[in-house]
Amino acid sequence: MLKRPFDKTKLPSRHVTEGPERAPHRSFLYAMGLSEDEIHQPLVGVATCWNEAAPCNISLNRQAQAVKLGVKEASGTPREFTTITVTDGIAMGHEGMRSSLASREAIADTVELTMRGHCYDAIVGLAGCDKSLPGMMMAMVRLNVPSVFIYGGSIVPGKYKGKDITVQDVFEAVGRHQAGANSDEELRAIEKAACPSAGACGGQFTANTMACVSEAVGLALMNSSGAPAPYESRDAYGTASGIAVMHLLEQNIRARDIVTRKSLENAARVVACTGGSTNAGLHLPAIAHEAGLEFFLDDVCDIFRDTPYFVDLKPGGNYVAKDLYEVGGVPVVMKELRRAGLIHEDCMTASGRAIGEELDLIEREADGKVIYPVDKPITPTGGVVGLKGNLAPQGAIVKVAGIAPEDQVFTGPARVFECEEDAFEAVKMRAYKEGDVLVIRNEGPAGGPGMREMLSTTSALSGQGMGKKVALITDGRFSGATRGFCVGHVGPEAAHGGPIALIADGDMITINAVTGDISVNLSDEDLAKRKEAWTGPRDTIYASGALWKYAQLVGETYKGAVTHPGGAEEKHVYADL
């Protein structure tokens, strides 16, 4: 523990609590009930994304109180604050989804501004939804203060006709309903049963993928991401996280001591072996960017390519986050990776111990049902694959978990749509043919704006039984719940004049997830001629406001779709001011 009296001469909070000139500042702190001792202790930000927008956020406020108890127990002074969340499940399939990826940047920015404005010395961040997890971790690395992340926990699975279901099943039930295979009553019963509690979507979708990343990268305490949100046992992890951040402060272990190239590689391994969300290919580069590291989509995909897939989770597999927790969680997964020599063991973690030391403490072994032995994997390569070719010179990404190798090669004629709504209408009306490659463009970070997810469209295809009979490519992205042969993150995006902007109906497209190729049967000369005739980016209705600002600032998808120069360009470190 930190020893009294506290030496705050090198801590940011000295700017608001120390010396006669800070008497007015201390007055405000007294007004909130702080004692003189509490004012002169280190100030620890306890940041949450609590709101009433969705079940993934609703329990964060309760868990924050447990964190504050831990900070107090370790002689720190917690200061709770909140930031926004845009929840993908509710934003899905309409204009609201344009706000989702942009919210990641807003979360990182607002947490940074709150920490800077009030001169907090360390942070414990709680998040529960797809973009709030990477946004919170990005803020930690950007600020480079002692930091501990804690996930709000997953939802427990619903039950329908004796089977576990998740919100993915509801989206797919919509497709079956459109096809006449579900009655109104069946759809209503499924929608009422799918989400029975607080917590994030239960499969290895984006939230649970990034929760696994938080442990693997070292910012979260081991096994802290596993217990579902309603479990009161989560509070013990909250208290432990509050104590842990004070230990990090005492030892001056900061976020960038934890988030390194090696720890990012560890995180990518865990995404691959669990069949995690393709969105990790966007968020890992963005977190790296905050540390001034170049860890791009190519680098992530290189790791995916040689990592076995051995954890059987939805949407490609059979189990949900609660099941993974019950068989030992991320620590057992990482222990299996270590058996194969696929983990950097010397990486620091939020406990102050190296990852290898943490894994030495894990007694449980792979159960063979949810977590297969690493030497007997479901498939020998990762559940997510990178693609490149003349259709995506900057790369693209596809989730192949649950797709048989013979179904990972697809050639067909392009059926081009200028936005997701047009594609969804065509799918709903079955205005496409088996064997088509559906191309949805103008949905990239700048061109959308906002790089929307396409779960409504992909789920409708799956619900119609067409998940393996058509392919879909986009410069937008897919939900972690997406399944089927769906290629996202195609770069350069259409708004930047990438080849996807030049495709026409009938062009033959080949996607080969075995060799990592994505191509259109056009020569360089053909593409050059079409580029000359291209009339420029599609106009959008967003000419002002936050989404306009985002579209002006956002960079390339393969670099993480970030909006500022990052750690490589900074001229100071916040904690050292």
Side-chain angles (χ1 to χ4, degrees):
M1 299 298 175
L2 288 166
K3 302 294 189 291
R4 296 174 184 272
F6 298 104
D7 178 9
K8 297 183 73 171
T9 57
K10 293 183 179 180
L11 294 182
S13 63
R14 73 186 186 278
H15 296 303
V16 294
T17 66
E18 305 307 304
E21 68 277 13
R22 300 309 181 206
H25 305 65
R26 292 192 293 272
S27 289
F28 286 118
L29 299 176
Y30 283 122
M32 292 183 283
L34 295 188
S35 68
E36 186 170 356
D37 282 347
E38 288 173 320
I39 288 170
H40 293 293
Q41 291 177 162
L43 303 184
V44 177
V46 178
T48 82
C49 300
W50 178 87
N51 59 36
E52 294 183 335
C56 46
N57 311 309
I58 203 72
S59 71
L60 295 176
N61 179 272
R62 185 203 87 222
Q63 295 184 48
Q65 309 320 304
V67 172
K68 290 160 70 176
L69 289 175
V71 172
K72 289 178 180 179
E73 183 179 326
S75 301
T77 301
R79 307 312 299 149
E80 183 179 354
F81 65 93
T82 61
T83 184
I84 69 160
T85 309
V86 173
T87 297
D88 287 10
I90 290 178
M92 192 70 67
H94 55 84
E95 287 294 300
M97 179 49 77
R98 300 195 190 283
S99 299
S100 171
L101 187 57
S103 77
R104 185 191 72 181
E105 310 307 300
I107 290 163
D109 291 350
T110 51
V111 171
E112 177 198 359
L113 291 172
T114 302
M115 292 285 291
R116 284 183 179 274
H118 301 94
C119 298
Y120 296 152
D121 301 315
I123 182 173
V124 179
L126 299 92
C129 200
D130 294 8
K131 305 307 169 296
S132 60
L133 277 80
M136 190 68 72
M137 287 185 266
M138 288 163 65
M140 292 172 170
V141 179
R142 184 184 303 177
L143 290 160
N144 198 28
V145 293
S147 304
V148 178
F149 178 88
I150 185 164
Y151 180 41
S154 73
I155 202 168
V156 297
K159 289 282 186 183
Y160 180 69
K161 294 185 176 179
K163 293 183 178 180
D164 284 354
I165 63 170
T166 70
V167 72
Q168 174 195 353
D169 296 283
V170 188
F171 277 99
E172 293 182 6
V174 171
R176 292 195 300 275
H177 182 265
Q178 290 167 351
N182 266 355
S183 67
D184 291 348
E185 291 73 21
E186 286 173 317
L187 181 60
R188 191 176 300 114
I190 292 169
E191 74 180 63
K192 287 184 175 181
C195 300
S197 75
C201 300
Q204 192 66 339
F205 312 149
T206 305
N208 282 314
T209 297
M210 295 309 296
C212 292
V213 162
S214 72
E215 288 189 42
V217 84
L219 285 172
L221 296 178
M222 293 298 281
N223 211 31
S224 64
S225 70
Y231 286 22
E232 291 193 6
S233 59
R234 292 210 59 78
D235 292 353
Y237 284 108
T239 301
S241 295
I243 294 170
V245 82
M246 294 300 292
H247 280 302
L248 296 178
L249 188 62
E250 181 180 33
Q251 298 169 67
N252 194 29
I253 297 173
R254 301 180 179 183
R256 293 185 201 172
D257 297 319
I258 292 172
V259 177
T260 63
R261 172 69 186 230
K262 286 183 176 181
S263 71
L264 289 162
E265 290 176 357
N266 286 347
R269 295 278 187 206
V270 170
V271 173
C273 74
T274 59
S277 170
T278 55
N279 283 311
L282 201 62
H283 301 322
L284 288 172
I287 294 168
H289 178 74
E290 301 292 352
L293 301 171
E294 290 190 356
F295 188 65
F296 298 151
L297 180 61
D298 278 358
D299 302 304
V300 176
C301 290
D302 284 345
I303 291 167
F304 290 168
R305 190 176 299 114
D306 65 358
T307 305
Y309 164 51
F310 60 86
V311 186
D312 188 20
L313 297 173
K314 289 178 180 285
N318 296 299
Y319 299 99
V320 295
K322 175 177 173 287
D323 301 315
L324 178 61
Y325 170 66
E326 289 173 351
V327 298
V330 174
V332 175
V333 173
M334 295 189 75
K335 191 175 173 183
E336 285 300 303
L337 286 168
R338 179 170 73 167
R339 279 209 307 126
L342 296 175
I343 285 290
H344 300 292
E345 296 189 50
D346 57 342
C347 296
M348 179 61 66
T349 74
S351 69
R353 293 186 290 267
I355 196 73
E357 295 175 290
E358 288 289 346
L359 295 180
D360 287 341
L361 302 174
I362 305 302
E363 296 180 355
R364 298 186 72 172
E365 303 289 343
D367 69 309
K369 183 178 176 184
V370 181
I371 305 173
Y372 286 51
V374 70
D375 52 355
K376 297 178 182 178
I378 301 167
T379 60
T381 59
V384 181
V385 171
L387 304 171
K388 261 193 176 178
N390 71 341
L391 184 48
Q394 290 180 349
I397 196 166
V398 60
K399 190 172 190 175
V400 296
I403 300 178
E406 62 269 21
D407 294 322
Q408 293 182 24
V409 180
F410 197 103
T411 297
R415 176 83 163 83
V416 180
F417 301 95
E418 300 298 337
C419 63
E420 183 193 9
E421 286 83 359
D422 291 352
F424 184 70
E425 281 302 310
V427 171
K428 188 166 70 171
M429 302 301 293
R430 294 205 172 225
Y432 64 92
K433 296 177 181 177
E434 185 176 323
D436 281 351
V437 178
L438 310 185
V439 179
I440 306 176
R441 63 189 176 201
N442 303 306
E443 293 289 2
M451 203 180 185
R452 289 190 291 178
E453 293 184 350
M454 308 288 166
L455 182 60
S456 293
T457 302
T458 59
S459 295
L461 288 167
S462 291
Q464 292 174 5
M466 299 296 287
K468 294 181 180 179
K469 298 176 182 177
V470 297
L472 193 158
I473 71 170
T474 181
D475 53 4
R477 59 195 176 89
F478 295 113
S479 164
T482 291
R483 58 177 174 169
F485 207 31
C486 301
V487 178
H489 302 198
V490 171
E493 62 173 293
H496 293 163
I500 194 171
L502 313 176
I503 301 301
D505 284 345
D507 289 342
M508 294 301 293
I509 292 173
T510 296
I511 307 161
N512 189 326
V514 179
T515 62
D517 179 68
I518 180 169
S519 60
V520 59
N521 67 334
L522 297 173
S523 67
D524 292 346
E525 292 76 13
D526 293 333
L527 287 168
K529 286 178 182 177
R530 290 193 186 183
K531 185 67 177 286
E532 287 177 15
W534 184 56
T535 56
R538 177 174 179 260
D539 196 18
T540 79
I541 60 173
Y542 298 95
S544 65
L547 288 173
W548 174 87
K549 188 188 302 182
Y550 178 80
Q552 309 310 305
L553 293 173
V554 70
E556 297 98 331
T557 300
Y558 79 98
K559 292 183 178 180
V562 292
T563 56
H564 70 110
E569 300 298 323
E570 66 187 21
K571 296 182 179 179
H572 77 277
V573 174
Y574 156 73
D576 293 331
L577 285 176

